[in-house]
Each structure stands twice: as structure tokens, then as C-alpha cells.
Amino acid sequence: MQELHDAPLAPLTTFRLGGPATRLVTATTDAEVITAVRAADDSGTPLLVIGGGSNLVIGDKGFDGTALRIATTGFELRGTTLELAAGEVWTDAVARTVEAGLAGIECLAGIPGSAGATPIQNVGAYGQEVSATVTEVVAYDRRTGATVTLANEDCAFSYRHSRFKADPERYVVLRVRFGLEDAGGLSAPVRYAEAARALGVEPGDRVPLADARETVLKLRASKGMVLDPEDHDTWSAGSFFTNPILTDQQFAAFHARVRERLGDAAEPPAYPAGDGRTKTSAAWLIDKAGFAKGYGSGAARISTKHTLALTNRGGATTEDLLGLAREVVAGVREAFGVTLVNEPVTVGVSL
């Protein structure tokens, strides 16, 4: 294992923000991951697990403890079963499944980060979520000191949430297994309306896998959601806020606020979310509350391509970013009575 002291963490995150870690360990095998975790736990040292760093907001003071960077590799395809090591680059893995002619994660192309993070966040985009294809997650259980295998139904997946996110101090993901589909080179049914329009098909239709992947990559790039070191709109964590899910009573109050602010004909986005709940759009809320693309005057601003992304224009601090995030949250709450929740994990800081 590689070990560094007083190690910068900002370069390991897509925001390029945050102070140093007291100690940074890079593990390239599952055994090294477990050894590093056990050593931290046995000594009572705080532990920060880092994969691709695409969902992290680290405070300017850094992390007083051991930061563990998981750099394991492993891509194994057996029929339609895929096993990925936690450190595998997610977007590369998606490309390889498309090349292999297997459907199920093609619309998750271009999402930055590592494979091990996908079940934690129940990563989703353009009508697909990993919860639909994850069959098992192999993880180290810090509570019992054992390596365990959790079936899909044991992961408690929900919108951008899972058992792993609910109990972040317990599990360290080592491997993720997926059940994909051989549809003769075609994608899974296209569920997302925007993707269907871009592909020129109806929702529910299938298209060639490569077409689905390329279309999603183009859509994401147009919103600054595909990493590009030269494009500050991609110096972000992607979507900074989750889409609010409201009860019937909450949605009725929200709808009344929308009509009051925008006129009697105004209709907010609304999508059934089960159990009498409705999901609305965080991006719509941000925009209608007065925060347009490019909003901000400092080094942290809203993306010029998408209102849902907060970005580092170069030279920003984490406090700059959080100041902008707090302004957006307060503005949306004042305008519509809805409180936005941050999607990235915060380390040493909070909104």
C-alpha cells in the first residue's frame, strides 16, 4: 500500500476542493482495503473512504485521520453476469458492457466515479438506476470484522439511497455484481422522455446499445456532466441537490406557492413516486427561484450549462461553494416552501 502524510485531497475530488488528510493510504487489492480499514478501526482513527471523488465535498481544513483511496481493479464478465472491483472507473465499465452487447447500464454512461460508489448512492440517470441490475454487493462489515455478501433485497435501495448510505460507518464496498441482459445488441427499453426524444423513438422502445450510450453522453456533455479538465462546468459533483419527494399534503402546499408566485396557469414538474408521494424537479425549483445558469459572482457559481450543478470556477474554497449552496437552499425555501437536500457527501462541513 502507498502511504502519504499531510496529503492533499482536493486533486482526488471532481470539485478540486478540500484540505489535506493527516494520512492517505492507497489500496489496490481487497486485502489491502480490509487491512487499512481494520488498522484505522483498531486504533480509533477516523476513516474517510475515497473512490472516484465525484460525490465528495471536503472541508477546507481537510480530514484529521486516515483517508483510504480505493484503487482496486477487476472487470469479470460471465455470460450476462458482471462483477466489478470497487475501484473500477464506472464510465469505462459501462463502455465495456456496451461493447459486449449487454444491456442494463448503458444509460448510466458518463457518470464520474468508481463502481463501488454506485450501490451506495443508488446511482441513476436517464431512466436507469443501478438498483435494477445490482444482484449482490460484497462488502467489509466494520461492525463484525467479516466480509459479507448482500443480495439486492438486503441493500434497501430507494431514490439516491441505500443501506450503505443510511449506515455509512458500517460497510466498505469491495465488489459489485450485476445481472445484465442480452437483447441482441439492443438497449433496455428507453424510459426517459428526453433520451427517447434525442434518439427519435417512443418511450419503451429499444435502440442499438451504442446509440443509447452515445446519446446519453451527448446529453450529459451538453449539461457539463461529463468530466473535462478544461471545462469548469465539470468541476462539480454533478447534481448538487436531489429532486424533492413530497407527500400529497406537501405537494398541495407547494403547488399553491407555485401558483402564487408564477401565476394561476403555472404547473411544476410532477412525477409519481409511489406511496402517495410526488417527485418534483430541483433544477426547476432553482431556476424559478431566481438562480439562473451561471449565477454567482465569485469563484463558486452555478454551472453555465445546468442549474443543478454548483461549480468551482478555479480558485474557489469549500466555504465559497457552501455559501452558494446555502444561498440557493434559502432562496428555494423562501420561494416555494421546499427544502433542497444536498446529494454529495460532506466531510468536516455541512450546509
Side-chain angles (χ1 to χ4, degrees):
M1 283 186 290
Q2 182 189 66
E3 182 175 328
L4 299 172
H5 294 269
D6 196 28
L9 294 180
L12 302 182
T13 74
T14 52
F15 264 125
R16 295 165 171 81
L17 295 176
T22 305
R23 177 171 173 262
L24 172 65
V25 174
T26 298
T28 57
T29 67
D30 290 354
E32 289 181 352
V33 171
I34 293 170
T35 296
V37 174
R38 281 179 173 163
D41 289 346
D42 289 347
S43 63
T45 303
L47 179 69
L48 171 63
V49 178
I50 300 176
S54 61
N55 203 44
L56 277 180
V57 178
I58 299 174
D60 292 316
K61 292 182 179 179
F63 182 72
D64 185 12
T66 296
L68 170 61
R69 178 172 172 260
I70 297 182
T72 54
T73 57
F75 178 102
E76 186 176 356
L77 200 54
R78 299 183 303 277
T80 57
T81 299
L82 171 67
E83 180 175 294
L84 296 177
E88 279 288 327
V89 177
W90 174 252
T91 193
D92 292 348
V94 172
R96 292 177 69 177
T97 64
V98 169
E99 290 170 3
L102 297 177
I105 57 175
E106 62 279 358
C107 289
L108 303 179
I111 294 177
S114 61
T118 60
I120 297 171
Q121 189 74 4
N122 186 17
V123 164
Y126 294 98
Q128 290 183 345
E129 288 183 331
V130 294
S131 58
T133 50
V134 168
T135 57
E136 293 179 327
V137 176
V138 180
Y140 175 69
D141 185 342
R142 298 170 66 184
R143 185 177 300 170
T144 65
T147 299
V148 297
T149 300
L150 290 88
N152 180 289
E153 56 269 24
D154 297 323
C155 296
F157 288 125
S158 60
Y159 173 64
R160 301 297 176 269
H161 201 68
S162 70
R163 179 177 185 172
F164 312 104
K165 190 172 182 180
D167 194 358
E169 301 300 317
R170 180 167 182 179
Y171 298 101
V172 176
V173 175
L174 301 174
R175 298 189 167 264
V176 188
R177 296 174 182 142
F178 300 84
L180 304 178
E181 178 188 9
D182 184 349
L186 296 179
S187 69
V190 178
R191 302 295 185 195
Y192 201 73
E194 183 185 17
R197 286 194 299 271
L199 285 159
V201 299
E202 294 296 320
D205 289 348
R206 295 178 184 261
V207 298
L209 277 164
D211 291 355
R213 175 177 175 270
E214 289 302 319
T215 296
V216 165
L217 286 173
K218 289 177 181 176
L219 288 171
R220 290 186 65 86
S222 71
K223 300 172 183 178
M225 298 291 185
V226 176
L227 292 182
D228 178 354
E230 303 303 316
D231 182 359
H232 282 281
D233 279 331
T234 75
W235 290 31
S236 75
S239 299
F240 195 87
F241 300 103
T242 57
N243 290 321
I245 296 178
L246 308 175
T247 64
D248 285 345
Q249 184 177 3
Q250 290 170 332
F251 187 81
F254 163 58
H255 192 263
R257 293 282 286 270
V258 169
R259 293 284 181 89
E260 180 183 338
R261 182 180 178 90
L262 303 177
D264 291 341
E267 289 293 339
Y271 311 97
D275 298 326
R277 300 181 302 167
T278 301
K279 181 166 67 176
T280 192
S281 165
W284 186 91
L285 286 165
I286 293 167
D287 180 67
K288 298 303 182 184
F291 301 99
K293 296 173 185 176
Y295 178 88
S297 58
R301 303 183 192 180
I302 291 177
S303 166
T304 66
K305 300 182 179 71
H306 200 304
T307 54
L308 202 47
L310 307 187
T311 67
N312 172 10
R313 311 313 294 185
T317 65
T318 301
E319 278 305 309
D320 292 334
L321 176 77
L322 294 176
L324 175 62
R326 292 171 186 136
E327 183 182 359
V328 171
V329 170
V332 168
R333 185 189 298 118
E334 181 180 356
F336 299 112
V338 174
T339 300
L340 295 177
V341 176
N342 53 290
E343 186 168 329
V345 175
T346 56
V347 178
V349 292
S350 64
L351 289 189

